[in-house]
Amino acid sequence: MRFETTTEIDADIDTVWAVQTDIERWPDWTASVRTARRGEAGPLALGATAWLEQPRLRPTYWRVTAFDPPRCFVWESASPGVRSRGEHRIVPLPDGRVRVELALVLTGPLAGLTGWLGGRLVRRYLRLEADGLRQRCEAG
């Protein structure tokens, strides 16, 4: 099951990448994250971990499984019966702006049920993240 959203941001790719990969500051610009803590010091990298607390969801431990700066990072988490993959992509546009593509992919035996029960919340949180990222990056 796949959920996705996009937004265009009037900022350069490096600015958007810097904001998007500063995980511990996510609660400052998106209401979809209450608390975010990195497992390690330093910049986000392949294998890095983070702990997220989101309203109405159980706290989740994420590990970066794909990393292509400044264009993409993917992280994954697991709970009984469901594996979640969060995709964060930044696509440069010809006019100097970027398009951000966010997705959450659920797999596993309980993915369908989880998506059916929580799909509305997932879509809302993806939209909050996209809109918050755009506002933060465009505010300078």
Side-chain angles (χ1 to χ4, degrees), residues 18-29 33 35-38 44 49-52 64 73 75 88:
V19 172
Q20 193 170 51
T21 58
D22 189 359
I23 307 302
E24 290 183 330
R25 296 205 186 258
W26 283 21
D28 297 344
W29 53 262
V33 177
T35 304
R37 290 189 305 269
R38 286 282 313 282
L44 196 66
T49 59
W51 181 257
L52 295 185
V64 176
F73 80 90
W75 58 9
H88 307 80

Side-chain angles (χ1 to χ4, degrees), residues 4 12 21 24 28-29 39 52 64-65 85 87 91 111 118 126 129-130 132:
E4 53 190 19
D12 63 82
T21 58
E24 290 183 330
D28 297 344
W29 53 262
L52 295 185
V64 176
T65 57
R85 185 176 72 240
E87 301 172 358
V91 180
L126 285 171
E129 184 180 334

Side-chain angles (χ1 to χ4, degrees), residues 13-78:
I13 193 169
D14 293 322
T15 298
V16 177
W17 178 257
V19 172
Q20 193 170 51
T21 58
D22 189 359
I23 307 302
E24 290 183 330
R25 296 205 186 258
W26 283 21
D28 297 344
W29 53 262
T30 180
S32 66
V33 177
R34 184 180 303 133
T35 304
R37 290 189 305 269
R38 286 282 313 282
E40 311 78 25
L44 196 66
L46 187 63
T49 59
W51 181 257
L52 295 185
E53 294 179 18
Q54 297 181 270
R56 300 181 55 197
L57 296 174
R58 285 190 285 193
T60 307
Y61 175 78
W62 293 86
R63 177 175 300 280
V64 176
T65 57
F67 194 70
D68 182 21
R71 296 181 185 270
C72 173
F73 80 90
V74 176
W75 58 9
E76 297 184 19
S77 70

Side-chain angles (χ1 to χ4, degrees), residues 110-125:
L110 297 179
L113 179 61
T114 300
W116 182 74
L117 292 173
R120 182 180 215 160
L121 185 64
V122 169
R123 282 187 281 279
R124 180 170 173 261
Y125 283 2

Side-chain angles (χ1 to χ4, degrees), residues 58 77-84 106-114:
R58 285 190 285 193
S77 70
S79 59
V82 181
R83 182 166 214 55
S84 300
L106 304 176
T107 58
L110 297 179
L113 179 61
T114 300

